[in-house]
Amino acid sequence: MIPQSFVQDLLARVDIVDVIERYLPLKKSGANYFACCPFHGEKSASFSVSPSKQFYHCFGCGVHGSAIGFLMEYSGLGFVDAVKELANQAGLQVPDDGKPGTGAHEDATSKLADAMADSSRFYREQLKHSKEAIDYLKRRGLSGEIAARFGIGFAPEEWQSLQRVFPDYQSKHLADAGLVIDNDQGKRYDRFRHRIMFPIHDRRGRIIGFGGRVLDSGEPKYLNSPETPLFEKGRELYGLFLAQKAIRDAGFALVVEGYMDVVALAQFGVDNAVATLGTATTPHHINTLLRHTSRIVFCFDGDAAGRRAAWRALENALEALRDDTTLAFLFLPAEHDPDSFVREHGADTFRKAAAAATPLASVLLQELKERCELDTAEGRARLIHESRPLVTRIGAPMLRLQVIKALAEASEMTQAEVEQAFGIKPATRPKQDGPMPDFRRSPRPAQPARPQGRRKPPSAIGTLLRLILQHPAWAARLPIDLVPDDSAEGRAMIAIIDLVSLGEPIPAGGLGALIERFRDTPHGETLARLGTEQDESEFEDAVIETLFDDTLRKLHAYAIDREIAALLEHSRDGSLSSGERHRLTELLLEKRNLASAGKLSDL
């Protein structure tokens, strides 16, 4: 847990324009800055950054948020990592959460990261002086530029070469980082020897592990760092840190099986590839990639081993599927891997093949059908039997429905029968009295189209909340009993007033900071929506105080009307007390006074 006060102080210190300009070229237009949106393909600049609101918004895809939200979306970081990254850019130290051992854990993690960085520099330097390693990379067609981009190095054929980097070679953190091994006799030696070294980065760019590729025919062919406090194979993807922008530009992420595939594809300009680290693709891998793109293409060799790997990836992807995303599979000819295919056929052919990759649902259905003899009753029954544990795991409701319909057709059963066999409750229509109306003969009247470029005028509470977004400190002037809680805007306003009443300072970092204060609550989305609708010049400074006071008077009048209506409703059964009758008289008089003063003329 990062203290909320630190998050707000951080957002107050940074300028969202400076933060985003590190990643996007922004061009000033009027009060705001604009760029082509990095989160969806477009040719015109619809991505807006507001210095006054400290808030970004894309008018094309609707993405929006604060400086922290931008780092989370753009770099695929979690909230904590995004705060740390932003704090690092601002030169601030993130405080710990007060839990015992937190500071010590951070120090230990920092030592491991430093050891990995020092080792990587050593391996890169060794590559410069190893003719056999350079010759190997040249034979694989890699240029010096690509080797430098990926930080490729070489671990010499020595038992304790890292002793040249770490004089305290017996230090515990070297073993904790997975750089050395202690045998049963207590002797320590380097884990990686006589191997091409591929540093593995996390999404912040830190080196957290290595993959080593043997130069000769030794075993194992690839050797990865072990699981460490920095490195967890099932959560990391090789090349993702470098591929993030290319993935957004290409519109999809390409998942291949090995380091050399990623590097070789990059050599030919296919920069949107990542690789798993000696493990099958995990749901976490898929969720990580779906933060960057809505389309993932898995590329596998066309041989039996590639088909098995593809099926494991498919099984692990089922729960992560969403109806607004696409997962597809590209099977190369049996004699090729991505490296050899792109060298023989070129990058354009490879990209076309990736664009035509087979969607996951088609691969799933094809594989299931091939396992069963569909011209027999037994084969069709087996199809449903083998489908059930897979189809019921599909996380995308509409896609699951499409697969069920396809299985029903292939098995010569009805959709309802398949759903019953799967234990899925079919959708039911509500019971009605009388015959079902024929909607084809009684069409719903067409609704008039709302004029483009216009929106419904905001309610009084909507106007007040927009004013508070522009001047958050004014929330202290609001009496909470005037704010109705029957709308999202009203509930958001009450939450802001509660913030003030508890003595918590109103965020000073603009709309973006206010939204961050209510992250993961319904109020955050309400504030963000209003912020995207609000023009910079919606309220002129000359009249904003008057508008604020008038809106408060409107809310006061609404409160009077509500209380009068409640008392009149109560009076219908003749049960008003003398106090309630006196209160009703006061309210009616107050309303008449407001009306005579012309305060209700616009209601």
Side-chain angles (χ1 to χ4, degrees), residues 39 72-73 76-78 203 286-293:
F39 305 116
M72 292 175 68
E73 288 286 341
L77 300 175
R203 284 167 287 170
I286 294 166
N287 287 324
T288 296
L289 290 172
L290 289 178
R291 291 181 181 177
H292 297 270
T293 181

Side-chain angles (χ1 to χ4, degrees), residues 340-387:
S340 64
F341 186 90
V342 76
R343 292 180 192 283
E344 181 173 331
H345 298 286
D348 287 342
T349 300
F350 187 90
R351 292 191 188 97
K352 290 177 182 176
T358 308
L360 179 144
S362 298
V363 175
L364 173 65
L365 290 167
Q366 180 181 346
E367 176 68 23
L368 290 170
K369 290 176 183 178
E370 288 178 356
R371 296 178 184 180
C372 309
E373 297 179 1
L374 298 182
D375 57 346
T376 67
E378 291 81 358
R380 293 190 291 275
R382 183 186 174 190
L383 174 65
I384 300 303
H385 175 77
E386 295 205 357
S387 300

Side-chain angles (χ1 to χ4, degrees), residues 14 21 24 115 162 405 453:
V14 302
E21 267 192 327
L24 298 178
L162 287 178
K405 287 182 175 181

Side-chain angles (χ1 to χ4, degrees), residues 228-254:
T228 72
L230 287 179
F231 179 54
E232 187 178 343
K233 296 177 187 178
R235 300 176 68 88
E236 304 297 339
L237 289 160
Y238 177 72
L240 179 58
F241 174 68
L242 294 174
Q244 292 174 100
K245 183 179 184 302
I247 287 172
R248 285 187 288 271
D249 291 344
F252 71 98
L254 181 71

Side-chain angles (χ1 to χ4, degrees), residues 283 311-321 364 387-396 400 422 424:
W311 187 253
R312 287 195 300 272
L314 182 150
E315 289 182 305
N316 288 335
L318 295 174
E319 284 91 347
L321 292 175
L364 173 65
S387 300
R388 176 176 177 171
L390 297 167
V391 175
T392 53
R393 288 169 51 199
I394 294 177
R400 183 175 66 177
F422 286 174
I424 298 173

Side-chain angles (χ1 to χ4, degrees), residues 130-348:
S130 173
K131 185 177 183 302
E132 64 170 337
I134 292 173
D135 287 344
Y136 171 82
L137 293 177
K138 285 182 176 178
R139 288 197 304 273
R140 298 298 300 263
L142 299 187
S143 66
E145 178 187 353
I146 287 293
R149 186 199 302 179
F150 284 88
I152 296 174
F154 175 65
E157 195 173 10
E158 302 174 23
W159 286 99
Q160 296 179 330
S161 67
L162 287 178
Q163 197 163 16
R164 287 181 257 169
V165 186
F166 305 103
D168 187 10
Y169 188 67
Q170 299 301 318
S171 176
K172 180 177 181 296
H173 71 269
L174 294 183
D176 291 342
L179 293 168
V180 297
I181 297 174
D182 295 313
N183 64 16
D184 294 339
Q185 290 74 42
K187 183 175 177 60
R188 174 168 287 193
Y189 56 92
D190 293 358
R191 178 178 298 275
F192 299 100
R193 304 179 307 280
H194 200 225
R195 290 178 179 271
I196 299 293
M197 298 297 290
F198 299 86
I200 301 164
H201 299 83
D202 66 9
R203 284 167 287 170
R204 295 166 59 188
R206 298 183 307 171
I207 297 174
I208 56 174
F210 290 99
R213 206 279 185 198
V214 70
L215 280 178
D216 50 36
S217 57
E219 293 293 336
K221 183 178 179 181
Y222 284 99
L223 178 65
N224 289 320
S225 290
E227 301 276 321
T228 72
L230 287 179
F231 179 54
E232 187 178 343
K233 296 177 187 178
R235 300 176 68 88
E236 304 297 339
L237 289 160
Y238 177 72
L240 179 58
F241 174 68
L242 294 174
Q244 292 174 100
K245 183 179 184 302
I247 287 172
R248 285 187 288 271
D249 291 344
F252 71 98
L254 181 71
V255 182
V256 293
E257 293 187 83
Y259 311 108
M260 282 303 301
D261 290 329
V262 172
V263 176
L265 288 170
Q267 177 79 52
F268 283 81
V270 181
D271 298 318
N272 58 320
V274 299
T276 54
L277 298 166
T279 65
T281 305
T282 66
H284 191 278
H285 289 146
I286 294 166
N287 287 324
T288 296
L289 290 172
L290 289 178
R291 291 181 181 177
H292 297 270
T293 181
S294 60
R295 177 177 169 83
I296 302 173
V297 175
F298 297 95
C299 180
F300 293 100
D301 301 351
D303 57 14
R307 291 275 173 177
R308 288 193 297 271
W311 187 253
R312 287 195 300 272
L314 182 150
E315 289 182 305
N316 288 335
L318 295 174
E319 284 91 347
L321 292 175
R322 303 197 311 257
D323 284 321
D324 59 346
T325 61
T326 300
L327 273 63
F329 292 83
L330 169 60
F331 295 102
L332 299 176
E335 69 275 12
H336 280 299
D337 58 21
D339 184 356
S340 64
F341 186 90
V342 76
R343 292 180 192 283
E344 181 173 331
H345 298 286
D348 287 342

